[in-house]
Amino acid sequence: LFRLLGTMVDNRYATALVIAGVLSVLATVYLSVAVGTQHWYQYSSPAVRGEANVSELRSLYEEFMDGEFDEKTYSDTLFRLNGTVGIWWRCVLVPSAAHWYKEPGAKMVLECRSFTPPQQFIPKYKEPGNHNSGEDMLRTYLWRSQFLLPLVSLGLVVLAGLTGFGACLCRSLTPTLGIGVLHLLAGLCTLATVCCYLAGMDLLHRVSMLPDKVDGSLGWSLYLALISSPLHMMAAALLVWAARSHSQNYYRMTAYRVA
């Protein structure tokens, strides 16, 4: 790669382009892993005590796994069963044994359900589960944005990669500025994804109060997405610098030869 780039530019630009490529690959891998995993937000629930609680939670779990999609139902289950929720997945932590919570130290397993594309576009309501309360436009569009924006970000990176591959084949630095702009837009889309997700979760907790002794915290998937945003932006900065510096040097050399 250095030899190919060296035929077009000097070592400074070649180094900048290679570093930008590495940053771009890292950012894309981080974002892909983040989107495909469920650990964006996680709940810590207290231990279950009493037969009545066991029956209630088992009913919630069965509705979560096999019932119709309903925001209040799956949210309550996540709150009560150490749930984790991402952009595409929602999961709960339940015992693997048939006799729920009756055996001390029972092995726990993670059971997950995916958000299907049609479910991603279902309206959110001012009172979750109450369709008569009216649609909550802000939560609805925040949820849809957090689903669409990472796909846009990944699409922009793929487009930038194809453009860069074509530029290498043509031995031209002309598209480098455009590739840098695409990476900048991808970084902004990723950052907007995280912001939309956090805002949506905050609004959900305002309309659905967490049960007593249930705590929520950010998960590692969200941090991966958050890290990928500045990586894309750093790649964009290197690409824009290389494009502008090479252009300025080219014009200087042209002017020198003319003189």
Side-chain angles (χ1 to χ4, degrees), residues 66-110:
D66 303 319
E68 294 184 2
F69 179 80
D70 179 77
E71 184 184 26
K72 180 172 176 54
T73 300
Y74 78 72
S75 295
D76 288 346
T77 309
L78 292 172
F79 297 160
R80 302 288 298 279
L81 291 175
N82 296 288
T84 56
V85 58
I87 293 178
W88 280 96
W89 295 94
R90 59 191 190 276
C91 303
V92 292
L93 196 63
V94 295
S96 58
H99 304 289
W100 269 48
Y101 293 96
K102 293 182 179 178
E103 300 177 5
K107 182 180 178 181
M108 307 295 285
V109 295
L110 200 63

Side-chain angles (χ1 to χ4, degrees), residues 27 180 183-184 186-189 191 228-238:
H183 277 82
L184 176 61
L188 292 175
C189 286
L191 182 61
S228 73
S229 177
L231 291 179
H232 273 139
M233 293 182 183
M234 286 190 287
L238 286 170

Side-chain angles (χ1 to χ4, degrees), residues 123-144:
K124 306 296 179 184
Y125 297 97
K126 295 178 181 178
E127 296 178 11
N130 183 1
H131 294 192
N132 297 322
S133 62
E135 183 178 352
D136 190 328
M137 299 296 291
L138 180 57
R139 289 205 307 122
T140 296
Y141 283 100
L142 283 173
W143 185 274
R144 293 174 182 176

Side-chain angles (χ1 to χ4, degrees), residues 5 8-18 20 163-164 167 172-183 234-252:
L5 291 170
M8 300 186 292
V9 293
D10 62 29
N11 287 336
R12 291 178 303 159
Y13 305 141
T15 302
L17 292 176
V18 170
T163 305
S172 171
L173 268 182
T174 304
T176 306
L177 180 60
I179 297 171
V181 172
L182 288 175
H183 277 82
M234 286 190 287
L238 286 170
L239 289 166
V240 170
W241 172 83
R244 290 181 61 84
S245 298
H246 178 71
S247 177
Q248 291 173 357
N249 285 346
Y250 175 79
Y251 288 131
R252 288 172 185 168

